[in-house]
Amino acid sequence: MDNKKYNTDLFDLFEANIDDINKYSSDAINKHRSKAFAEFKKQGIPTKKDEKYKYSDLSNVFSKDYNVSFKPIELNINIDDIFRCDVLSLDSHLTVLSRGKYFEKERIKKLDNGVIIGSMIDASIKFPEIFEKHYNKYASTGKDSLTNLNTAFAQDGIFIYIPKNVIVDKPIQIVDLLIDEKGYFSNTRNLIVAEKGSKTEFILCDDSLASAEFLTNTVTEIYLGENAEFEFYKLQNQHNEANNLAATYVHQERDSRYLSGVFSLLSGFIRNNVFVEMNGEGCENNIYGLALPDHSQHTDNSLYINHFKPNCTSKQLFKNVLDHTATAAFNGEVYVAKDAQNTIAEQTNNNILLSETAKVKTKPQLIIYADDVKCSHGATIGQLDEEAMFYMRARGIPFKEARMLLLYAFAYDVIKEVKIPSLRDNLEDLTRRRLNGELSLCRNCAVRLVR
Amino acid sequence: MLKIKNLKASINGKQILNGINLEIKAGEVHAIMGPNGSGKSTLSAVIAGREDYQVTEGEIIYNGKNLLEMSVEERAAAGIFLGFQYPVEIPGVSMVNFIKTAVNEQRKAQGIEPLNASAFLKLMREKKDLVEIDSKLTNRSVNEGFSGGEKKKNEIFQMAMLEPKLAILDETDSGLDIDALRIVANGVNKLKRPDTATVVITHYQRLLDYIVPDVVHILYKGQIVKTAGKELAFELEEKGYDWIKKQVDNV
């Protein structure tokens, strides 16, 4: 499908609003716009003819009529009053974002250990050295047009800085809320800098307070210094009319370790792009994913893992359970450069289709230029194991329970990789409820209170 | 307890059972023997309710109820237990969770309170000793990575936990060494009660040294062609199946 009309709309939108876009952002962010916009103008919204997007039709997502505003949001609600998250029955450094904009009254804060959490706009002004060194460095490859779209439009987002050798005492949690009654199109831009030897647990919850149609195009850049350790858990838990385009760029220095869990529990349309560059020896990169689309939902996880240096390991395990007419895609590309000897790479995608109308496309790929590597990949698409179902029913376990045990066992392979116990418990509960066909709302989340 | 009348069943259009007649009373042990492909496993699968098989004629009455109208899980809850010839591995589902769900779902179907955690653990400990099964196995996923003998012992362990009224053991003895065979047979014997019945499907007379049957049936070409006391098993051991085949094929 041709996206010409939607492209023209976006070009016009940018040109008509550039003054407001700039006015309500900062010079340091603004100076990246024109180049990104020029790139986007050349590329446009990816079409299904684009090899990387052939399993996800973006024309549907862009065809809807969203509200757009580049002025600061004024909301007559107090987030503290309505939002109580004990998704984690643990304390976290909690921050709320909405429509790509930072929400807290205190625009940016520096904790006692030197950790900085706050608005991107304020960070670019107060901490220009850090900002200049990293902003748009990892995402600016110019290859992905949605990222260029983001760089052109994004005004704000989250900035996190973890100084050298700091072990962050508790998880940093960002809740990105879809909040307005009228849907909108927004671009959020996040930057996380984890310096040498630091250790961080980070949780990003995409939630919704309203059921209108949304399109969010988010770019998150993550820099891991030498020997830094970073865990990134992403929970996508919204509603059928939410459309998410999310790109994560991970830049790893030597001996750094990145662990990520991507849980796509509920959303209308999800396209996750993850770009990893291992730029030093001894890096580890493990990414796990679980998606449970049903009805007409769509989830696409596309991963580009680059081994540039020797002695690094990477692993991806993505599992999908699809029901009704849901669709999913997995696109995994592991690139091993000529010098990246002793690379160990493992890529797996397993899918269960619960209906005859659900569809999944899977494309694991290895591109290897080094000659001493251990790389494997595999994908499976299947139905529920009928032998196991009969075995359980023959022991008196009813069909529904037996099905749940099997599906849960399938999903648990991913859930068990979560290292924060209370988050893991909560994900177990959310997954069970979701597999039972319930909406998997977090028990005490705002969404529950509002509905 | 169980009455099978003129049972005919097929799979993928191929008829396997050609009119089985069989009656099993409480307190009895029946052995069903027969050459390969005679329909032994099909008979057990049809009784357990496997949906791949189509019953084309006949009926199965179990304690006055029409068994063919019941689902697999309803049959299990009503006390029918099938010991699998090839127990299924279920990765990711722990033995403890599996057997606890089975016990409590059966109790629910029978209108009994579910067992609480401590009562369940106590029951598990008792039954584990009975079948001499290692705790390491019950802590793993169902049958995953179990040896052939361990899988068969696990079937008997499940039987002990579920206390069925009618247990059908489909070639539980095949692939077992003598020690495992003795343990499995002991388990079956200890679980025997005047109000329960056991059907042992086997290839070999060897098992019947340990589990002494009241009645022995020979199944051939989907029919029971001979029924007698336990001496029939010895006769088969000595002469093989050829004389039976000849007798039947000549008629």
Side-chain angles (χ1 to χ4, degrees):
Chain A
M1 176 98 66
D2 192 354
N3 291 326
K4 210 168 171 183
K5 181 186 177 296
Y6 316 129
N7 284 329
T8 315
D9 289 350
L10 286 170
F11 303 157
D12 293 348
L13 184 71
F14 183 81
E15 275 151 6
N17 291 283
I18 185 65
D19 289 347
D20 272 356
I21 295 174
N22 283 334
K23 186 175 170 191
Y24 300 107
S25 188
S26 75
D27 291 347
I29 296 172
N30 294 340
K31 73 177 183 195
H32 294 271
R33 295 189 200 288
S34 59
K35 190 171 167 243
F37 181 66
E39 280 294 322
F40 178 70
K41 256 189 136 169
K42 272 191 259 166
Q43 297 162 316
I45 300 162
T47 67
K48 291 189 78 176
K49 284 180 196 149
D50 184 329
E51 184 64 25
K52 288 184 171 149
Y53 285 86
K54 70 176 180 185
Y55 303 134
S56 289
D57 189 354
L58 297 179
S59 62
N60 285 337
V61 171
F62 280 93
S63 66
K64 302 185 178 138
D65 202 11
Y66 305 100
N67 290 304
V68 186
S69 164
F70 300 101
K71 294 190 165 66
I73 0 170
E74 283 169 38
L75 284 168
N76 297 322
I77 50 168
N78 184 351
I79 283 292
D80 291 336
D81 288 347
I82 59 162
F83 191 79
R84 307 251 180 296
C85 181
D86 61 25
V87 169
L88 309 172
S89 46
L90 57 83
D91 227 4
S92 64
H93 298 289
L94 176 68
T95 299
V96 180
L97 264 185
S98 186
R99 215 197 268 175
K101 296 189 173 69
Y102 195 75
F103 226 98
E104 312 269 312
K105 287 190 191 80
E106 193 186 358
R107 299 288 305 168
I108 194 153
K109 56 194 168 195
K110 193 167 184 176
L111 311 179
D112 293 342
N113 53 13
V115 171
I116 302 165
I117 303 173
S119 144
M120 187 76 89
I121 297 175
D122 293 69
S124 70
I125 297 163
K126 284 192 181 157
F127 304 97
E129 315 78 41
I130 309 171
F131 181 89
E132 289 299 335
K133 196 174 162 196
H134 299 285
Y135 184 85
N136 206 31
K137 286 289 178 304
Y138 318 111
S140 64
T141 52
K143 284 182 199 150
D144 186 73
S145 70
L146 294 178
T147 297
N148 287 321
L149 177 68
N150 176 283
T151 309
F153 277 99
Q155 293 171 288
D156 198 5
I158 289 282
F159 172 89
I160 297 171
Y161 178 76
I162 303 112
K164 189 173 159 184
N165 294 333
V166 167
I167 294 166
V168 185
D169 56 337
K170 52 189 180 181
I172 297 174
Q173 186 188 9
I174 308 296
V175 176
D176 194 344
L177 284 176
L178 300 175
I179 216 164
D180 308 43
E181 285 309 315
K182 286 185 203 158
Y184 56 80
F185 164 54
S186 72
N187 289 275
T188 307
R189 184 63 172 246
N190 304 320
L191 173 64
I192 299 168
V193 177
E195 295 284 17
K196 182 175 173 179
S198 65
K199 185 176 185 311
T200 315
E201 295 165 330
F202 178 66
I203 301 160
L204 179 62
C205 301
D206 288 330
D207 273 312
S208 59
L209 279 177
S211 54
E213 284 184 330
F214 297 91
L215 172 59
T216 63
N217 179 34
T218 304
V219 171
T220 303
E221 292 180 281
I222 302 173
Y223 167 87
L224 300 191
E226 214 175 288
N227 201 31
E229 187 172 326
F230 195 82
E231 288 170 35
F232 180 4
Y233 302 104
K234 190 176 167 85
L235 275 69
Q236 295 170 312
N237 199 11
Q238 301 161 321
H239 58 75
N240 280 323
E241 310 302 329
N243 301 300
N244 291 279
L245 310 172
T248 307
Y249 290 83
V250 183
H251 174 98
Q252 292 187 246
E253 291 293 333
R254 87 172 277 158
D255 299 323
S256 62
R257 297 171 300 285
Y258 180 79
L259 169 77
S260 180
V262 183
F263 295 89
S264 307
L265 298 170
L266 177 60
S267 186
F269 182 102
I270 292 175
R271 163 72 182 219
N272 289 320
N273 281 325
V274 180
F275 303 88
V276 173
E277 294 191 346
M278 284 173 265
N279 286 284
E281 291 191 37
C283 293
E284 239 177 78
N285 183 287
N286 296 319
I287 307 177
Y288 298 86
L290 175 67
L292 311 169
D294 59 5
H295 300 288
S296 58
Q297 297 167 3
H298 176 77
T299 306
D300 176 345
N301 279 295
S302 291
L303 309 163
Y304 306 92
I305 312 293
N306 294 290
H307 284 260
F308 291 142
K309 292 281 153 60
N311 302 313
C312 297
T313 63
S314 70
K315 181 177 176 180
Q316 300 93 50
L317 172 64
F318 275 75
K319 292 198 166 194
N320 299 313
V321 179
L322 294 90
D323 203 355
H324 310 116
T325 56
T327 50
F330 174 81
N331 202 349
E333 190 182 296
V334 175
Y335 171 86
V336 182
K338 194 164 172 259
D339 299 332
Q341 301 296 0
N342 293 318
T343 290
I344 299 173
E346 186 188 331
Q347 186 176 62
T348 313
N349 171 232
N350 303 124
N351 302 281
I352 290 183
L353 305 180
L354 296 175
S355 72
E356 286 180 6
T357 43
K359 280 186 193 145
V360 65
K361 303 275 172 62
T362 177
K363 195 178 162 202
Q365 302 169 78
L366 297 169
I367 303 166
I368 303 170
Y369 291 100
D371 51 19
D372 186 11
V373 300
K374 204 167 127 189
C375 297
S376 64
H377 62 174
T380 59
I381 301 174
Q383 282 88 35
L384 274 183
D385 182 347
E386 282 182 23
E387 290 296 316
M389 283 297 290
F390 177 67
Y391 191 67
M392 288 195 272
R393 293 175 68 203
R395 296 295 175 257
I397 301 175
F399 183 89
K400 209 180 155 204
E401 260 58 47
R403 182 177 181 262
M404 177 61 101
L405 281 174
L406 282 188
L407 289 179
Y408 187 72
F410 179 79
Y412 190 70
D413 270 349
V414 174
I415 298 172
K416 72 172 192 240
E417 300 297 335
V418 173
K419 297 237 164 65
I420 305 172
S422 52
L423 177 63
R424 190 173 56 234
D425 291 350
N426 219 283
L427 274 167
E428 288 183 25
D429 180 51
L430 292 173
T431 302
R432 261 184 232 282
R433 281 191 280 155
R434 185 75 181 107
L435 288 173
N436 249 334
E438 296 171 42
L439 295 178
S440 57
L441 304 173
C442 305
R443 285 189 193 282
N444 272 336
C445 183
V447 188
R448 230 175 127 85
L449 301 176
V450 168
R451 277 188 190 155
Chain B
M1 179 181 274
L2 187 78
K3 265 188 202 155
I4 301 178
K5 283 185 207 157
N6 191 32
L7 182 69
K8 294 185 181 174
S10 60
I11 184 162
N12 301 327
K14 194 185 169 211
Q15 187 153 319
I16 311 277
L17 300 183
N18 295 308
I20 301 264
N21 291 292
L22 182 66
E23 185 173 355
I24 296 163
K25 295 198 177 78
E28 289 180 346
V29 175
H30 287 236
I32 298 178
M33 304 183 74
N36 279 333
S38 57
K40 300 190 301 289
S41 289
T42 301
L43 178 61
S44 64
V46 170
I47 297 172
R50 194 161 187 127
E51 284 136 349
D52 309 347
Y53 294 92
Q54 292 90 44
V55 173
T56 50
E57 225 182 298
E59 60 175 19
I60 308 179
I61 304 297
Y62 171 70
N63 285 335
K65 280 181 280 187
N66 182 355
L67 196 69
L68 296 176
E69 282 178 355
M70 295 161 74
S71 69
V72 183
E73 50 267 43
E74 282 167 351
R75 295 180 201 202
I80 290 182
F81 178 89
L82 172 64
F84 281 58
Q85 184 179 1
Y86 303 110
V88 182
E89 296 192 11
I90 314 178
V93 176
S94 76
M95 246 334 277
V96 175
N97 194 15
F98 168 73
I99 196 69
K100 191 175 175 184
T101 309
V103 167
N104 281 336
E105 286 293 342
Q106 288 206 14
R107 291 176 73 98
K108 198 158 104 188
Q110 293 155 7
I112 319 172
E113 282 283 296
L115 284 182
N116 64 31
S118 71
F120 174 77
L121 287 175
K122 186 166 169 275
L123 181 70
M124 251 200 30
R125 230 175 293 129
E126 276 171 34
K127 304 299 185 184
K128 269 198 301 206
D129 292 344
L130 187 77
V131 296
E132 301 174 40
I133 193 167
D134 201 317
S135 286
K136 269 184 244 152
L137 295 182
T138 51
N139 289 332
R140 296 226 297 258
S141 290
V142 179
N143 291 320
E144 195 184 32
F146 288 27
S147 70
E150 286 167 345
K151 283 181 183 170
K152 296 297 174 76
K153 268 201 240 173
N154 190 20
E155 292 296 288
I156 304 304
F157 167 66
Q158 291 171 40
M159 176 177 139
M161 289 294 291
L162 296 167
E163 300 183 338
K165 294 196 179 75
L166 174 65
I168 303 159
L169 305 176
D170 187 7
E171 301 211 15
T172 301
D173 55 330
S174 39
L176 289 188
D177 63 35
I178 280 292
D179 288 338
L181 185 69
R182 185 186 49 76
I183 292 169
V184 164
N186 275 348
V188 173
N189 289 333
K190 281 184 201 158
L191 294 167
K192 207 177 131 185
R193 292 199 321 234
D195 61 334
T196 64
T198 311
V199 177
V200 182
I201 294 175
T202 183
H203 222 63
Y204 310 107
Q205 182 268 336
R206 196 178 61 158
L207 177 68
L208 305 180
D209 290 343
Y210 298 93
I211 302 173
V212 181
D214 300 300
V215 189
V216 176
H217 308 275
I218 298 173
L219 192 63
Y220 180 56
K221 290 192 172 172
Q223 283 185 313
I224 288 179
V225 294
K226 201 168 174 64
T227 297
K230 63 181 173 204
E231 66 285 352
L232 181 57
F234 296 110
E235 202 175 343
L236 282 175
E237 181 72 5
E238 223 170 88
K239 300 203 253 173
Y241 287 106
D242 284 351
W243 62 283
I244 291 281
K245 287 185 189 172
K246 254 181 227 158
Q247 257 183 29
V248 175
D249 294 341
N250 287 342
V251 172

